Amino acid sequence: MKVGGFFLFFLLLCAQPVRSDESSSHPLVFCNSHWPPYSYGDTNGRAIGGYAIDFMEEISRRTKQSLDLRILPWLRCLQMAQDGDVDGIMLLTENEERKQFLLMSGPIISDANLLWYRKDSPHARSRLTFADLQGLRIGVVTGFNYGEPFNQAVAHLNLTLDEGPSIQSNFKRLDRGWIDVVLVNRMAANYSLHDYPLLRARVISRDGPFEPAGFRIGLAKAGRAAHLLADIDNAIADMRTDGTIDRIMLEKPFEYR
């Protein structure tokens, strides 16, 4: 009985997860969607380039932490971070919902959403309050975060949202008159319109009621990277000081290099 009891104890001990050894010997897994010009993936879901990839590879070098960068559908990436099936998300903006399951780094870059119209639209003007958007068919991308003030305005002002699967599809719908305005930041908009010069010539941007949003790294609270938040913030601060962030952002988008 004593031998049997010891053997059972040994089996139970071996069955326990050894998190500290595993986390030190396996790369941390970070995901992002295929989101040009920030992140690109190949047909196998491997991250192959983009500004977010460049940032993460530089942070990996500075923190001496190996990373496995993957490209997934956006909503799946968010869910896997929430469940702890990945250790973090490469680049995203923060909101209260995301902060429930992610620790957010300081901002790496920032940009503000603009209002994009057809040039011949009677609606084409700057709008400095969310109430000014009432009555418009507003093109947004499914799963994107446009900020808490906008979310509250949608709920309280009954704004009319029309969701599309991508920025590019929203511009095409705008061009056909199916929506009145598209919300997107300048960098992502210009990239999406790069291969459509005639469409680019037909649209115009105006200021909207959006504050610049910081794009950050999200560390999954249920993952293995949460303890690295200070190290990552220090690496980001050093990258800003020595000009690395500016250098990366001045490069051509990965697809055109």
Side-chain angles (χ1 to χ4, degrees), residues 105-247:
S105 75
I108 303 176
I109 55 174
S110 63
D111 205 354
N113 285 310
L114 299 173
L115 309 177
W116 296 80
Y117 307 93
R118 276 189 58 117
K119 286 182 178 178
D120 58 3
S121 170
H123 306 297
R125 62 180 177 85
S126 297
R127 298 169 190 267
L128 302 183
T129 70
F130 289 114
D132 292 337
L133 294 171
Q134 288 178 309
L136 299 182
R137 295 166 297 173
I138 305 168
V140 296
V141 176
T142 303
F144 273 39
N145 171 38
Y146 295 89
E148 286 302 319
F150 179 72
N151 294 340
Q152 294 175 16
V154 170
H156 298 137
L157 299 174
N158 296 316
L159 299 183
T160 303
L161 303 188
D162 194 322
E163 293 190 353
S166 68
I167 297 167
Q168 192 176 91
S169 70
N170 277 349
F171 275 118
K172 292 179 179 179
R173 295 190 304 133
L174 178 72
D175 192 44
R176 292 168 182 152
W178 298 351
I179 53 179
D180 300 314
V181 62
V182 169
L183 310 184
V184 63
N185 62 298
R186 189 179 302 280
M187 176 178 288
N190 285 337
Y191 177 84
S192 296
L193 294 167
H194 182 276
D195 292 334
Y196 301 91
L198 295 180
L199 175 56
R200 179 67 181 89
R202 291 195 294 270
V203 300
I204 192 170
S205 65
R206 291 289 181 261
D207 291 333
F210 297 93
E211 295 293 328
F215 290 82
R216 308 164 187 269
I217 297 170
L219 304 180
K221 292 181 180 179
R224 299 170 296 155
H227 68 286
L228 293 173
L229 181 61
D231 291 341
I232 289 173
D233 274 335
N234 288 337
I236 292 171
D238 290 343
M239 289 163 62
R240 179 169 291 106
T241 299
D242 65 24
T244 299
I245 292 175
D246 290 338
R247 175 184 58 77

Side-chain angles (χ1 to χ4, degrees), residues 10 12 17 65 85-86 94 98 103 112 114 136 150 155 191 235:
F10 178 76
L12 290 172
Q65 174 65 58
D85 294 326
V86 297
E94 69 176 13
R98 293 173 180 180
L103 298 174
L114 299 173
L136 299 182
F150 179 72
Y191 177 84

Side-chain angles (χ1 to χ4, degrees), residues 16-92:
Q16 299 303 310
V18 188
R19 291 191 174 272
S20 59
D21 291 342
E22 281 190 327
S23 62
S24 62
S25 60
H26 290 75
L28 298 175
V29 180
F30 281 74
C31 62
N32 232 64
S33 63
H34 181 77
W35 181 30
Y38 304 104
S39 50
Y40 301 78
D42 64 15
T43 56
N44 295 314
R46 291 187 294 258
I48 57 174
Y51 299 125
I53 312 305
D54 293 343
F55 292 145
M56 294 302 297
E57 289 178 346
E58 182 66 23
I59 288 170
S60 173
R61 185 182 69 80
R62 293 180 186 232
T63 61
K64 296 180 172 52
Q65 174 65 58
S66 60
L67 302 177
D68 178 2
L69 305 180
R70 302 179 185 178
I71 301 299
L72 302 170
W74 181 237
L75 296 181
R76 187 190 304 173
C77 178
L78 286 171
Q79 187 61 55
M80 290 180 72
Q82 186 168 357
D83 296 340
D85 294 326
V86 297
D87 299 302
I89 298 177
M90 297 181 221
L91 201 68
L92 78 170

